[in-house]
Amino acid sequence: MFKKKECVAMLLAGGQGSRLYALTTKTAKPAVPFGGKYRIIDFTLSNCINSGIDTVGVLTQYQPLVLNEYIGNGQPWDLDRANGGVSVLPPYQGKKSADWYKGTANAIYQNLQFINRYDPDYVLILSGDHIYKMDYDKMLRHHKAMGADCTIAVIDVPIEEASRFGIMSTNPDGTIYKFSEKPKNPDSTSASMGIYIFNKDKLQKYLTEDEEDEASSNDFGKNIIPKMLAAGEKMVAYPFEGYWKDVGTISSLWEANMDLIGKDPVLDLGDPDWRIFSKNQSGGPQFVARGARIENCYITDGCEIYGTVINSVLGSGVKVGHGAYVKDSVLMGDTDIAPGATVNYSILDTGVTVGAGATVGAAKEKAKGITVLGEDVCVSSGATVEDGAIISEM
């Protein structure tokens, strides 16, 4: 018998993440490393437990092995609960058929049984590929105070970027009267963050109707939200003013890492009142050799620095050899930069080796784009990887 929960969170983590190219060849996007010791999904899971939400379903699909292993029993996020906690929810063989998740709405529909076992009053829908710190309990209190059927978290974006998002037009009290999915000519700058709170009964009703519509894309933004709005349901926007970054592209992932180390960092991961929890444990102390040079960097446990590292984020166990030079780059765990090698304006996935005297990328000011090396790629000694290249294997 499962104990009733006021609110259950459903975390969509099954997307392919194709715009991250080599970084998601073997790994689901939410499991991509970030900020040295974290993975992208750490932020949403940490937000849940910090907000008092202790029942989370994680919907996986694409390349789930690393993500499933990483989540485990949920202990690092205090989500190893006898009643609730975290549950990994892949597509499964049902009595009538077996289907991949066809869209965000269909993914939740296929897991209504999981939701209903806790008989919640509210369901929180989240995405596993955003970097942000947010108190979902405040959003839930706003939802209840407004008497809403659905509340959508929104963030103000520049008008020139608004066409990339679902855009809300609202009345002075925050109620939504118009929703446009990626409009060519947006009339508002209130962009959906892909974070929704639904009254459970309303959610179940519209998901069931959507599933019966063969013409539907089974998507919240394209189908569920417009249908609820057209039916006169009370839809409310919840404005969010903190840091939020959709890290679905190479450039946005690089920018979010750099936001940790600017002159005035806009993303603070050291706040003791809102910890971001991670499964990654300490890899031992860092070692900085005599003559090494480090400027404005995020250096994680277990790194060994003998060369020069400037304006970069280093994951655990990274080694930068004598005479090596790293700048404006993100090096994920267990990367080895051999003596005399140069890495500029690049993202290197876990296990990458750059041989002695090799060159990866070019100075940011001259580069055609960010250079990306996928997991376990090995660059031969003396070789050159051109700036802007994206390489899964060599």
Side-chain angles (χ1 to χ4, degrees):
M1 186 69 181
F2 295 94
K3 183 180 177 182
K4 177 179 174 61
K5 302 286 185 177
E6 181 185 30
C7 183
V8 167
M10 301 295 281
L11 201 168
L12 296 161
Q16 184 173 350
S18 58
R19 293 179 298 164
L20 289 180
Y21 302 101
L23 302 179
T24 50
T25 300
K26 303 176 184 177
T27 305
K29 181 164 59 171
V32 168
F34 176 82
K37 67 174 292 183
Y38 305 96
R39 293 182 185 261
I40 294 172
I41 199 171
D42 285 332
F43 290 82
T44 312
L45 291 176
S46 297
N47 287 340
C48 284
I49 200 64
N50 287 332
S51 302
I53 295 173
D54 64 6
T55 304
V56 184
V58 180
L59 285 65
T60 64
Q61 180 160 280
Y62 172 79
Q63 292 285 21
L65 179 61
V66 173
L67 183 59
N68 293 354
E69 289 178 343
Y70 185 73
I71 293 171
N73 67 354
Q75 187 273 332
W77 308 273
D78 193 24
L79 288 170
D80 53 336
R81 306 295 181 96
N83 185 71
V86 67
S87 299
V88 175
L89 304 171
Y92 59 90
Q93 175 76 50
K95 185 175 182 180
K96 295 181 180 179
S97 64
D99 283 318
W100 289 109
Y101 295 144
K102 294 178 287 186
T104 54
N106 173 259
I108 302 299
Y109 173 81
Q110 289 198 41
N111 288 283
L112 285 174
Q113 183 178 0
F114 171 82
I115 294 172
N116 285 327
R117 65 167 37 168
Y118 297 103
D119 190 26
D121 299 312
Y122 309 100
V123 180
L124 171 65
I125 310 294
L126 302 166
S127 176
D129 54 5
H130 299 152
I131 303 296
Y132 67 114
K133 297 188 288 185
M134 181 178 181
D135 189 343
Y136 303 136
D137 185 58
K138 288 184 178 179
M139 182 176 173
L140 179 57
R141 294 201 303 268
H142 182 76
H143 176 86
K144 292 188 286 187
M146 291 292 292
D149 297 303
C150 171
T151 296
I152 302 173
V154 299
I155 192 166
D156 191 57
V157 298
I159 188 66
E160 60 270 18
E161 296 182 15
S163 59
R164 296 172 42 227
F165 299 90
I167 296 298
M168 313 289 157
S169 299
T170 60
N171 297 307
D173 66 350
T175 53
I176 300 167
Y177 65 85
K178 181 181 178 182
F179 173 81
S180 304
E181 179 71 5
K182 298 181 180 179
K184 291 183 178 180
N185 299 299
D187 55 10
S188 167
T189 56
S190 293
S192 171
M193 298 169 66
I195 300 170
Y196 314 108
I197 293 179
F198 291 90
N199 293 347
K200 194 267 289 185
D201 291 342
K202 292 285 187 180
L203 176 64
Q204 183 160 312
K205 173 182 184 298
Y206 282 93
L207 287 179
T208 302
E209 292 176 359
D210 183 72
E211 190 65 20
E212 294 170 353
D213 181 0
E214 295 183 357
S216 176
S217 300
N218 306 124
D219 183 82
F220 278 101
K222 295 178 181 178
N223 305 109
I224 302 297
I225 303 303
K227 286 180 181 178
M228 289 185 70
L229 198 59
E233 306 290 1
K234 188 170 184 179
M235 317 285 282
V236 172
Y238 176 76
F240 177 72
E241 297 179 351
Y243 180 93
W244 179 81
K245 179 81 80 171
D246 181 344
V247 288
T249 64
I250 292 296
S251 59
S252 62
L253 179 62
W254 183 87
E255 289 167 4
N257 274 275
M258 294 301 111
D259 285 340
L260 296 168
I261 57 175
K263 183 177 180 182
D264 296 304
V266 294
L267 177 57
D268 177 16
L269 300 186
D271 183 357
D273 294 326
W274 200 270
R275 287 188 59 194
I276 302 301
F277 301 94
S278 170
K279 188 174 183 179
N280 294 326
Q281 302 299 316
S282 173
Q286 301 96 330
F287 174 76
V288 179
R290 187 185 303 274
R293 178 185 171 199
I294 300 174
E295 292 183 11
N296 193 45
C297 293
Y298 219 76
I299 309 292
T300 313
D301 306 319
C303 289
E304 297 180 35
I305 312 297
Y306 300 88
T308 297
V309 185
I310 301 172
N311 202 52
S312 296
V313 175
L314 275 57
S316 61
V318 170
K319 183 176 180 179
V320 179
H322 290 283
Y325 181 87
V326 176
K327 186 177 181 184
D328 296 323
S329 295
V330 179
L331 310 186
M332 297 174 184
D334 300 317
T335 299
D336 189 350
I337 312 301
T342 298
V343 178
N344 263 306
Y345 197 39
S346 299
I347 298 177
L348 276 53
D349 204 346
T350 54
V352 167
T353 299
V354 179
T359 299
V360 176
K364 181 184 175 186
E365 299 76 18
K366 301 177 181 179
K368 292 178 289 187
I370 301 169
T371 305
V372 180
L373 302 183
E375 184 178 349
D376 296 327
V377 163
C378 182
V379 180
S380 300
S381 296
T384 297
V385 178
E386 292 188 1
D387 53 306
I390 297 177
I391 298 174
S392 298
E393 56 186 30
M394 291 184 72

